[in-house]
Amino acid sequence: QKGCRAAHNNNNSCKRKRIKIRITKKMAGETTTNATGEKAASFGKAHVPYGEDGSGHYTLATKGCFDVIENAKELCLEALNKAEKPNSSTTTQEQALCIADYGTADGGTSMPLITELIRAHRKRDPNGDVLVTYEDQPNNDFKSLFFYVQGIKDLGRDGYSKSYLEEFDNVYVTACGTSFHKQCFPSNSVHLGVSFTAMHWLNKKPCNITTGVHMTQAKGEERDKFAAQAAEDWENLLFHRANELAPGGRMVIVNFCVDANGYHLGYTDKSSVCMYDEFNRHWQAMMSEGKITKEEYEAGTILNYYRNDAEMRAPFAEGTRVFAAGLRLVSAETKITRCPYNEDYVANKANRDAREAAKGIIGTMRTWSNSSFLTALDSNTRTEAERKALVDELYGRYEDAIAADPEKNHMDYAHH
């Protein structure tokens, strides 16, 4: 949980805002600064949405993210309940409750949660306005987001038949195409922030990883460079969230991590098979066969970092600018959320087709990793069709390996 920002009232007492890695904001009246650094060198390379614009592919192919968010629902409802209401004694004018979803992708996976949050808020403020604002990269699939929100496209989830816009009056929706590595919303404007499996993406690539495709495989100086970039990014983005939170506001952040057992996304106690080792095995084989160059192999570095517990907590320590801004860590825990495609196959394998299970597992992996490999291929010497064919081959190889033994292959989520 994040802590809240401190705001002084006339009695000079301090109220806090909270997030799940929770934060406290600075005093009212203090000057805020914009995010440091240049435009993200990763734009168009880190996480380009996979699938046709407006197809809602991310939501339809990412069942596990629904489960991650469902597991955080009670935490989010608690945060909303403890957040200071808009239009309380500390505000000077009427204000809508502002819920911000950072790194939203196409928005579908968080819609059931946001519906529950609005329903809970209506119990304490039956007629008040609610503003739901979504944040992601400028190249995000915002078309699908608005199709989902407006009820034009169905989520494909049992028990969720209509959008919260159709269910509740006085609810309004906006979107922001500014990266969460910068300040996205006006200072003191967000009452409840949420972010799910997003803030592990880095602002820029510190180097290529020559010993694998992911930071969990990096060694020596390369690992150190990724850790340093991740630390800088984490502190910056928390500082910006501190500025955005309203006095008494809260936030819940669910981030991928490396836990105390060394488990991370795609590698848990379920089996000895590690997703990133498999990606690397097939990508490296394509290099060995001369299908891609050494430079292209190394450029296939996935631009994210999974923080351990100490790295997650570091910006909240006394003496940091995050601490000085008033942010406080209220609570934190680590969880494993199981891969639903693997779980379904294992529970029902007598009636499940191994190839279909493999398609589900590889499909959810591809939603977020496709662009890392596609942009690694040399666009000066290869046509777009050739590059796409090579990436299709990579995922085809991995899918074949999963189909041979779906029980051992998974994308379990390890997260704070």
Side-chain angles (χ1 to χ4, degrees):
Q1 298 182 336
K2 285 188 190 177
C4 11
R5 225 202 219 207
H8 282 277
N9 60 22
N10 292 334
N11 295 322
N12 228 19
S13 63
C14 176
K15 295 196 176 182
R16 294 208 170 173
K17 319 173 178 178
R18 301 183 183 254
I19 312 182
K20 288 287 170 181
I21 309 175
R22 292 189 201 169
I23 309 180
T24 311
K25 272 186 148 190
K26 280 198 164 196
M27 312 302 186
E30 284 197 56
T31 304
T32 60
T33 58
N34 292 327
T36 58
E38 312 159 345
K39 285 185 178 179
S42 61
F43 178 72
K45 295 181 181 292
H47 183 2
V48 179
Y50 178 68
E52 184 179 350
D53 194 38
S55 67
H57 181 77
Y58 179 85
T59 286
L60 299 176
T62 316
K63 293 179 182 178
C65 196
F66 281 99
D67 296 338
V68 168
I69 295 173
E70 176 64 24
N71 289 341
K73 182 174 74 173
E74 292 306 316
L75 204 59
C76 294
L77 288 168
E78 178 190 355
L80 176 66
N81 185 55
K82 292 183 177 179
E84 186 171 327
K85 296 178 186 178
N87 313 322
S88 69
S89 59
T90 61
T91 56
T92 58
Q93 59 185 14
E94 282 203 15
Q95 189 177 16
L97 174 77
C98 178
I99 301 172
D101 183 358
Y102 297 86
T104 188
D106 64 19
T109 56
S110 66
M111 281 188 64
L113 170 67
I114 290 176
T115 299
E116 291 295 323
L117 292 171
I118 296 171
R119 185 174 292 125
H121 180 65
R122 281 285 183 257
K123 292 178 181 179
R124 65 180 191 177
D125 189 354
N127 301 310
D129 289 347
V130 176
L131 172 65
V132 180
T133 185
Y134 293 96
E135 180 280 334
D136 214 299
Q137 301 179 101
N139 59 343
N140 183 53
D141 186 6
F142 286 110
K143 184 176 181 180
S144 288
L145 186 153
F146 285 108
F147 279 1
Y148 281 132
V149 169
Q150 298 292 338
I152 296 169
K153 189 167 184 61
D154 183 65
L155 286 185
R157 299 287 291 180
D158 292 340
Y160 190 86
S161 59
K162 62 181 180 180
S163 163
Y164 57 78
L165 278 185
E166 300 171 292
E167 184 172 349
F168 303 103
D169 294 328
N170 303 326
V171 177
Y172 306 92
V173 174
T174 63
C176 171
T178 298
S179 165
F180 54 56
H181 291 289
K182 299 180 179 179
Q183 184 164 340
C184 304
F185 305 113
S187 297
N188 303 313
S189 67
V190 175
H191 301 98
L192 177 66
V194 295
S195 181
F196 303 102
T197 67
M199 292 180 173
H200 57 286
W201 287 100
L202 299 181
N203 189 37
K204 59 185 177 183
K205 184 191 282 189
C207 64
N208 285 333
I209 294 172
T210 59
T211 54
V213 298
H214 191 258
M215 55 75 49
T216 52
Q217 300 161 318
K219 302 182 186 305
E221 185 179 0
E222 292 172 1
R223 178 66 177 248
D224 292 344
K225 287 182 177 180
F226 263 77
Q229 183 65 50
E232 177 184 329
D233 289 351
W234 183 226
E235 182 176 347
N236 282 339
L237 68 85
L238 289 176
F239 181 74
H240 297 313
R241 304 298 79 80
N243 289 332
E244 293 162 349
L245 278 174
R250 303 201 174 205
M251 186 166 183
V252 178
I253 301 176
V254 178
N255 264 349
F256 290 141
C257 71
V258 175
D259 75 6
N261 296 309
Y263 297 148
H264 54 75
L265 183 73
Y267 174 65
T268 64
D269 57 347
K270 184 169 284 182
S271 81
S272 60
V273 175
C274 172
M275 176 183 68
Y276 289 117
D277 287 349
E278 289 295 288
F279 267 127
N280 186 53
R281 179 166 71 90
H282 298 299
W283 192 233
Q284 196 169 52
M286 291 175 69
M287 177 183 67
S288 299
E289 294 164 16
K291 295 194 171 184
I292 64 173
T293 67
K294 181 177 182 291
E295 290 74 22
E296 288 173 323
Y297 164 76
E298 293 178 358
T301 295
I302 297 170
L303 196 57
N304 53 56
Y305 189 90
Y306 301 162
R307 299 172 183 91
N308 60 32
D309 188 72
E311 290 169 327
M312 179 273 291
R313 293 174 182 272
F316 300 100
E318 189 170 357
T320 66
R321 69 175 182 144
V322 170
F323 187 93
L327 293 184
R328 299 295 183 269
L329 179 63
V330 174
S331 69
E333 58 185 321
T334 302
K335 290 186 176 181
I336 300 291
T337 298
R338 298 299 183 184
C339 173
Y341 304 96
N342 172 276
E343 292 280 291
D344 177 70
Y345 179 80
V346 171
N348 306 285
K349 58 185 173 183
N351 303 309
R352 292 291 186 266
D353 178 72
R355 176 59 64 177
E356 287 306 306
K359 287 183 181 297
I361 294 170
I362 205 70
T364 200
M365 292 175 179
R366 194 166 187 175
T367 59
W368 53 267
S369 60
N370 183 80
S371 57
S372 296
F373 298 107
L374 185 62
T375 59
L377 300 172
D378 191 346
S379 60
N380 294 318
T381 61
R382 299 186 188 276
T383 64
E384 182 179 2
E386 183 183 6
R387 286 182 282 129
K388 287 183 176 179
L390 285 168
V391 175
D392 285 344
E393 180 176 345
L394 168 67
Y395 287 99
R397 289 180 182 219
Y398 196 173
E399 183 184 308
D400 289 344
I402 296 172
D405 193 351
E407 194 164 350
K408 288 185 177 179
N409 287 272
H410 62 86
M411 198 182 82
D412 283 357
Y413 297 71
H415 51 85
H416 288 129

